[in-house]
Amino acid sequence: MAPDYDDDDEKKGELGEGADAKFKEFDCPSCNANNPCDPPFGDGDELLCNYCGQDYKVKVSEEGRVKLKEL
Ligand SMILES: [Zn+2]
C-alpha cells in the first residue's frame, strides 16, 4: 500500500505547502525539457537540467510557486 503522506492537493508532483513545498520535477526554462527529480527539490536547492546542462537555483515563493534562476 502507498503511504498516505502524499495527500492529493490541487497540484500534482508536490509535497508540502507554501515556501516549504517540495517538487518531484521541473520544466527547464531554457530548453523546456521535463526533468524528474529524486529526491524532491525545494527552496534553496540547485538543479541541473539533464538535457541542456543549465544550472538553476531554486526559489519557492510563499504561494508554493517555483522560480528557477540561472547560475
Ligand atoms: Zn534544459
Side-chain angles (χ1 to χ4, degrees), residues 26-33 35 41-42 44-50 52-59 66-71:
F26 71 97
D27 290 324
C28 176
S30 289
C31 70
N32 286 322
N35 286 265
F41 66 92
D45 286 344
E46 292 182 5
L47 297 174
L48 172 66
C49 176
N50 291 316
C52 69
Q54 178 66 53
D55 288 312
Y56 295 100
K57 182 84 171 182
V58 178
K59 174 72 180 167
V66 179
K67 289 179 180 167
L68 301 177
K69 181 180 175 187
E70 288 189 17
L71 294 177

Side-chain angles (χ1 to χ4, degrees), residues 10-22:
E10 64 264 24
K11 297 174 205 157
K12 71 181 176 87
E14 293 184 16
L15 304 169
E17 293 182 353
D20 292 326
K22 302 282 186 187

